[in-house]
């Protein structure tokens, strides 16, 4: 198959109409790359209103049709799980607020056509977390088995408990009490985000669009994992394009200023502009006093490469270096240096013991 250049691939993502002119061999490469990024259904959803799918090669039509069918069925399942979880936790007078992909699917405030979710993220209040976890366990939600160290890490350092799985349906739930690790010293004022919540017609809670944008920014730029970073960028660009208005941006800037995320916001706007070049983002850059330092340009270069799908059919020079830099940056943001060194030492020891001795790391 033909290897694609990054510029050609991102042009199609920024303007899906360009996919209509792709040669058959290029289509195969694009679809394999998109499947890796979990964006094949997204592209199908973008092309459907353009009435061009019928003129595409048969193999492409079949794959796009299959992808969008799978996405629709999964979204139905996500909606069902969110309704079920809300009703279940209501028995204990606990209100879950759904985050990221699940929120985009269940709320008409977001554009979710073709959006795939690997799990369900939900937020509950810190003081309700233990009760929520216990009640879920009594209703066929099983906690992932972790050793004592990892369990302590989740409960003392992290902003979530170990993942839970619904025993009958296999659905994965990440239950949070904050949007970032409290041990980092950079966890946002979660009460402010709770105050922004909105509800759907059937009583499901999500963050407001402005708060959802800030949360997705935190998730992408303050963690070490960017495997599906391009999907996250598309989510954020969609929120901006849908809600671009003065009140929306006032809410975004308030959350950013109150929680000390100005540097991340600058990086996000620059990243979205480099990927999609939309006027809605360029206006923010022109209005703000963005720092064009060497440091900021370096991280923009890293993220511009790191968020693209890691696939051999995509020609992305130095992507490994960029992803390594992002990985180190993410870990450095999550906890103080002393804690990070201790945590890394323990994890390295456990990995080496398992590799050399064959002992499980439970």
């Amino acid at each position: 198959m033909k290897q694609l250049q990054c510029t050609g691939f991102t042009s199609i993502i920024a303007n899906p109409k360009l996919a209509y002119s792709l040669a058959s061999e290029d289509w195969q490469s694009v679809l394999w790359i998109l499947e890796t990024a979990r964006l094949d259904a997204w592209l199908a959803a973008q092309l459907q209103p353009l009435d061009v799918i019928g003129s595409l090669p048969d193999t492409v039509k079949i794959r796009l049709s299959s992808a969008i069918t799978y996405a629709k069925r999964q979204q139905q399942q996500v909606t069902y799980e969110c309704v079920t979880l809300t009703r279940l936790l209501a028995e204990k007078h606990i209100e879950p607020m759904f985050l990221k992909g699940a929120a985009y699917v269940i709320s008409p405030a977001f554009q979710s056509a073709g959006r795939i979710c690997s799990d369900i993220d939900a937020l509950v209040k810190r003081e309700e977390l233990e009760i929520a976890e216990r009640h879920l366990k009594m209703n066929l939600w099983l906690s992932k088995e972790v050793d004592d160290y990892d369990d302590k890490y989740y409960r003392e350092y992290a902003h979530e408990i170990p993942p839970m799985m619904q025993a009958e349906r296999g659905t994965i739930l990440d239950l949070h009490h904050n949007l970032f690790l409290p041990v980092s010293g950079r966890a946002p004022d979660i009460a402010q985000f709770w105050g922004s919540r909105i509800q759907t017609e059937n009583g499901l809670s999500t963050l407001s669009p402005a708060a959802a944008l800030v949360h997705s920014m935190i998730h992408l730029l303050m963690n070490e994992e960017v495997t599906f970073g391009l999907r996250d960028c598309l989510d954020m660009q969609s929120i901006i394009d849908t809600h671009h208005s003065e009140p929306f941006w006032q809410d975004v800037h308030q959350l950013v200023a109150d929680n000390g995320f100005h540097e991340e916001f600058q990086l996000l706007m620059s990243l979205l502009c480099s990927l999609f070049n939309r006027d809605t983002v360029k206006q923010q850059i022109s209005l703000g006093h963005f720092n064009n330092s060497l440091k900021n340009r370096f991280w923009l270069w890293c993220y511009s490469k790191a968020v693209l799908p890691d696939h051999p059919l995509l020609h992305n020079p130095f992507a490994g270096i960029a992803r390594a830099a992002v990985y180190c940056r993410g870990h450095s943001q999550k906890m103080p240096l002393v804690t990070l060194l201790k945590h890394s030492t323990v994890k390295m020891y456990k990995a080496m013991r398992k590799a050399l001795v064959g002992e499980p790391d439970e």
Side-chain angles (χ1 to χ4, degrees):
M1 292 184 188
K2 183 178 178 182
Q3 194 176 49
L4 298 180
Q5 299 295 320
C6 285
T7 52
F9 176 74
T10 54
S11 295
I12 294 168
I13 299 298
N15 184 8
K17 291 181 182 179
L18 297 177
Y20 178 67
S21 60
L22 284 173
S24 180
E25 61 177 355
D26 289 334
W27 260 116
Q28 296 303 315
S29 298
V30 167
L31 288 175
W32 282 117
I33 296 169
L34 288 175
E35 187 175 297
T36 299
R38 296 182 181 172
L39 287 173
D40 46 349
W42 172 86
L43 181 62
Q46 305 308 304
L47 294 178
Q48 277 185 335
L50 304 177
D51 293 326
V52 299
I53 291 183
S55 60
L56 299 177
D58 289 342
T59 54
V60 175
K61 284 190 289 186
I62 292 171
R63 290 185 63 176
L64 290 178
S65 176
S66 175
I68 199 68
T69 299
Y70 173 78
K72 288 178 179 178
R73 289 177 65 88
Q74 196 205 55
Q75 290 188 1
Q76 292 173 353
Q77 180 68 22
V78 167
T79 302
Y80 171 80
E81 296 290 4
C82 291
V83 170
T84 302
L85 282 164
T86 298
R87 291 173 178 170
L88 181 60
L89 292 176
E91 296 173 4
K92 295 296 182 181
H93 308 289
I94 296 173
E95 175 192 0
M97 181 161 59
F98 296 98
L99 308 171
K100 289 183 59 58
Y104 307 151
V105 168
I106 64 176
S107 175
F110 305 100
Q111 302 294 324
S112 64
R115 182 59 157 83
I116 299 293
C117 305
S118 57
D119 54 24
I120 292 176
D121 292 281
L123 181 75
V124 298
K125 294 177 180 177
R126 182 69 181 89
E127 61 271 20
E128 299 172 340
L129 183 63
E130 186 176 343
I131 299 172
E133 182 183 13
R134 188 184 309 121
H135 192 56
L136 287 169
K137 286 182 176 180
M138 294 177 64
N139 287 272
L140 298 180
W141 285 88
L142 310 176
S143 291
K144 175 185 175 182
E145 290 188 15
V146 295
D147 62 23
D148 291 342
Y149 176 80
D150 285 341
D151 188 69
K152 179 180 178 181
Y153 171 81
Y154 273 108
R155 298 180 189 281
E156 293 187 12
Y157 296 159
H159 55 304
E160 58 186 334
I161 60 174
M164 306 186 77
M165 183 183 73
Q166 214 289 330
E168 296 177 319
R169 298 183 296 276
T171 304
I172 303 299
L173 170 67
D174 285 337
L175 197 60
H176 303 249
H177 61 85
N178 205 306
L179 304 180
F180 198 60
L181 290 79
V183 72
S184 69
R186 299 202 63 199
D189 177 6
I190 199 61
Q192 191 175 18
F193 284 81
W194 271 106
S196 80
R197 72 185 180 280
I198 58 176
Q199 283 196 329
T200 66
E201 289 183 355
N202 54 352
L204 303 180
S205 297
T206 72
L207 291 170
S208 70
L213 175 68
V214 175
H215 174 222
S216 192
M217 175 190 75
I218 295 169
H219 179 79
L220 177 66
L221 299 180
M222 295 176 65
N223 281 292
E224 76 282 1
E225 180 59 63
V226 291
T227 301
F228 303 112
L230 183 59
R231 184 184 65 180
D232 291 341
C233 289
L234 283 167
D235 289 339
M236 288 183 278
Q237 185 64 63
S238 174
I239 293 172
I240 291 170
D241 291 342
T242 303
H243 297 282
H244 175 63
S245 66
E246 186 173 345
F248 168 77
W249 286 114
Q250 286 177 346
D251 290 344
V252 170
H253 289 302
Q254 189 70 54
L255 287 166
V256 167
D258 289 350
N259 293 282
F261 295 138
H262 186 65
E263 182 178 330
E264 286 77 19
F265 180 73
Q266 284 194 355
L267 178 55
L268 176 64
M269 291 298 103
S270 300
L271 177 61
L272 295 181
C273 187
S274 71
L275 291 172
F276 311 125
N277 197 33
R278 301 280 173 82
D279 289 340
T280 50
V281 171
K282 288 194 285 187
Q283 288 175 17
Q284 286 299 302
I285 294 176
S286 65
L287 291 173
H289 301 288
F290 278 33
N291 185 346
N292 196 32
S293 66
L294 179 61
K295 172 188 171 183
N296 288 356
R297 281 181 283 148
F298 170 74
W299 287 119
L300 174 59
W301 176 86
C302 287
Y303 277 95
S304 297
K305 289 186 165 294
V307 300
L308 295 182
D310 185 9
H311 197 284
L313 290 175
L314 184 64
H315 182 62
N316 190 6
F318 306 109
I321 295 173
R323 292 189 184 102
V326 166
Y327 182 84
C328 294
R329 180 182 188 270
H331 273 296
S332 70
Q333 301 251 47
K334 295 175 79 169
M335 58 190 73
L337 180 59
V338 173
T339 307
L340 175 60
L341 291 174
K342 175 186 174 183
H343 177 66
S344 300
T345 301
V346 172
K347 298 296 283 187
M348 286 177 61
Y349 166 74
K350 290 167 60 181
M352 290 177 63
R353 185 185 66 183
K354 185 174 182 178
L356 297 175
V357 185
E359 295 179 9
D361 57 4
E362 280 83 336

